[in-house]
Amino acid sequence: MRIAVCGGVYSNPWALRAFIDDARRNHADRLYCLGDLGGYGAEPDAVWPLLTGNDVICVAGNYDVAIASGAEDCGCGYRDPRDQEYAEMMYDFTLRTTNRRFAAWMGTLRTERREKLDGCDVHFVHGSTTGLNDFWWESLPEAEHRRRVEASGADVIMCTHSGLPWIKRIGDCLVVNVGVIGRPANDGDRRVRYALVDIDDGVARARIIRLHYDWRSHAEALRRAKFPEAFARTVTTGWWTTCLEVLPTRERAKGRFHLYDSSVPRLLEPLGLGEDAWPDPDPSIPVRSLWGSPLLPDHIWYTRPPIGVDDLTEAAAGCAISHVRPSDGHSPVMRYIGEARRPLPELTLTDQGWSWHPRLTSEPPFLAHPAEIPPLAAFVDAARSGAVEVLLEELQAQNLLLPPNYCAG
């Protein structure tokens, strides 16, 4: 048996239609949707006939439960004021424009589903096995993964809600976060994701499918409905410009944007800097990248690099880094943030790995070199993401940024 499973339709009928067509082309025997039919999009009613007319088996997400009951909010649990503002705006629009017959249909959906498929016990949930709006991130500690698996006991667990797909075997259980089809996965790719799962005599194998759809029409509908540009920009670029709060540091560091404009004054104050030290590069969206900021300059220093300097310079240029210099005799002074006196990073390449600062190369690198150097652009990008992750962890530890909220319940 082959099943196709999507999540997070988010009022995006163009992506839902593409999912149905692609699943049929891939000879899926059954199609499933794991909920959150509204939100983030401008056409909620257009998804209902596509679901019912193509026998898509649905479970309810937190958005669907809220819309069905006419609740005051989506139950997303955002704490950041900007995320909460956007969530309220989108929820109010969805509640107002969703046909009440569609809303009543959502109210008939179960919030989880369990089926025996070709010898496999498959558990379909929205957030996780422990909560409807629980964010089941790939980067969670192993104990947190096991806790969610043990709460189910199924052979296969299918989930969504977090928006980022992954596949992981935890003990004897195959867990598949199918991602969402309503918006991209914060990796610069406009395509959306769903999962194909093959089940044969009790054994399941899964893969994540990247799905092309008419993103231009989706973005145009958002703009026509007069939503803030941030919503359409995610669709047109593949990078999240909202919902940053929920992302753990590892997942957030892989994106282009890492924090909200509103966070900037609080981050600059310990450095004795005013807001003019970090001009807003794009006022049409409310988010910024740490990379190239006063907290993480777009510099690469090197000493005993494992690759040629010309190759390093070329790879850095591919990542929009023009400052590549030897550290000997040119090392910048160390700047610190917060009471813990953690130095701010100046990305430094040595023969051992990527160091935090040219003056700290005697310490173990924060990112050691792999056995084989990957393609150079990916080599530099991994270091940049690693530095952002460590910096985000430090900023959260010093209460300068909100830590992620794994479960809104």
Side-chain angles (χ1 to χ4, degrees):
M1 171 172 279
R2 172 172 287 180
I3 62 174
V5 189
C6 75
V9 178
Y10 297 150
S11 302
N12 185 342
W14 299 275
L16 178 57
R17 187 177 296 109
F19 161 71
I20 293 166
D21 292 344
D22 199 64
R24 299 298 188 205
R25 278 193 297 270
N26 280 304
H27 308 292
D29 298 295
R30 295 185 189 177
L31 278 62
Y32 295 84
C33 176
L34 302 182
D36 275 1
L37 306 179
Y40 296 112
E43 299 289 340
D45 274 354
V47 307
W48 189 25
L50 290 172
L51 294 168
T52 56
N54 290 279
D55 299 320
V56 180
I57 303 165
C58 296
V59 300
N62 57 286
Y63 223 93
D64 315 315
V65 170
I67 293 293
S69 65
E72 291 186 359
D73 61 48
C74 63
C76 302
Y78 293 122
R79 296 169 298 165
D80 183 277
R82 181 52 63 91
D83 271 341
Q84 185 60 27
E85 175 191 352
Y86 281 172
E88 289 174 0
M89 183 186 306
M90 185 56 78
Y91 179 75
D92 290 347
F93 174 87
T94 306
L95 183 63
R96 185 173 67 253
T97 58
T98 298
N99 184 290
R100 293 317 296 172
R101 290 189 300 115
F102 182 22
W105 178 83
M106 292 182 204
T108 67
L109 300 176
R110 289 180 272 169
T111 56
E112 59 182 312
R113 186 181 187 94
R114 203 139 181 172
E115 295 186 15
K116 200 79 169 181
L117 301 176
D118 205 356
C120 260
D121 179 11
V122 184
H123 195 173
F124 300 92
V125 298
H126 177 70
S128 83
T129 57
T130 62
L132 180 65
N133 52 10
D134 180 37
F135 292 98
W136 197 343
W137 302 107
E138 185 176 13
S139 66
L140 288 181
E142 284 302 308
E144 290 295 321
H145 285 297
R146 288 196 300 272
R147 182 172 69 85
R148 288 160 173 79
V149 167
E150 289 166 1
S152 168
D155 301 314
V156 179
I157 301 172
M158 313 291 298
C159 63
T160 181
H161 188 57
S162 70
L164 303 181
W166 51 269
I167 300 170
K168 187 178 180 72
R169 187 163 288 280
I170 303 166
D172 295 328
C173 180
L174 179 67
V175 181
V176 184
N177 190 315
V178 305
V180 297
I181 59 170
R183 66 174 183 162
N186 197 29
D187 60 358
D189 186 343
R190 288 186 290 256
R191 290 175 294 180
V192 294
R193 315 294 197 275
Y194 77 94
L196 275 178
V197 184
D198 290 307
I199 305 172
D200 185 7
D201 196 21
V203 178
R205 293 175 291 109
R207 55 194 168 110
I208 300 296
I209 303 298
R210 292 174 181 253
L211 181 66
H212 290 281
Y213 76 102
D214 185 2
W215 56 267
R216 291 180 179 85
S217 292
H218 182 39
E220 177 57 31
L222 285 163
R223 288 172 173 143
R224 201 165 49 243
K226 301 190 183 310
F227 282 110
E229 177 61 19
F231 290 100
R233 189 70 64 86
T234 292
V235 172
T236 60
T237 65
W239 299 109
W240 287 13
T241 53
T242 63
C243 304
L244 297 184
E245 175 205 335
V246 301
L247 289 169
T249 53
R250 184 167 304 168
E251 283 82 359
R252 195 187 301 195
K254 293 177 180 178
R256 174 174 291 177
F257 303 109
H258 311 116
L259 46 84
Y260 287 101
D261 294 339
S262 55
S263 304
V264 169
R266 190 177 184 188
L267 297 177
L268 292 180
E269 184 179 0
L271 299 174
L273 299 174
E275 290 185 57
D276 57 348
W278 190 352
D280 189 350
D282 190 347
S284 65
I285 57 175
V287 290
R288 301 193 197 185
S289 172
L290 278 170
W291 187 252
S293 77
L295 280 70
L296 182 53
D298 54 350
H299 301 165
I300 291 181
W301 304 89
Y302 63 86
T303 177
R304 307 181 308 276
I307 59 176
V309 172
D310 289 344
D311 291 336
L312 174 61
T313 302
E314 183 179 349
C319 295
I321 303 169
S322 58
H323 182 112
V324 180
R325 296 181 184 175
S327 62
D328 298 338
H330 298 282
S331 297
V333 298
M334 285 199 287
R335 301 177 302 149
Y336 301 88
I337 189 168
E339 297 178 359
R341 298 288 290 169
R342 172 75 176 181
L344 287 171
E346 291 273 356
L347 204 57
T348 306
L349 179 62
T350 76
D351 56 355
Q352 298 299 307
W354 291 93
S355 289
W356 193 246
H357 193 279
R359 297 179 184 270
L360 300 176
T361 55
S362 60
E363 298 181 358
F366 75 87
L367 184 64
H369 294 319
E372 184 175 337
I373 300 295
L376 294 184
F379 181 60
V380 171
D381 194 56
R384 181 164 57 179
S385 295
V388 170
E389 181 180 349
V390 176
L391 181 56
L392 284 169
E393 289 173 353
E394 186 62 30
L395 294 173
Q396 289 175 358
Q398 297 188 38
N399 295 316
L400 295 171
L401 286 177
L402 282 171
N405 191 17
Y406 294 129
C407 184

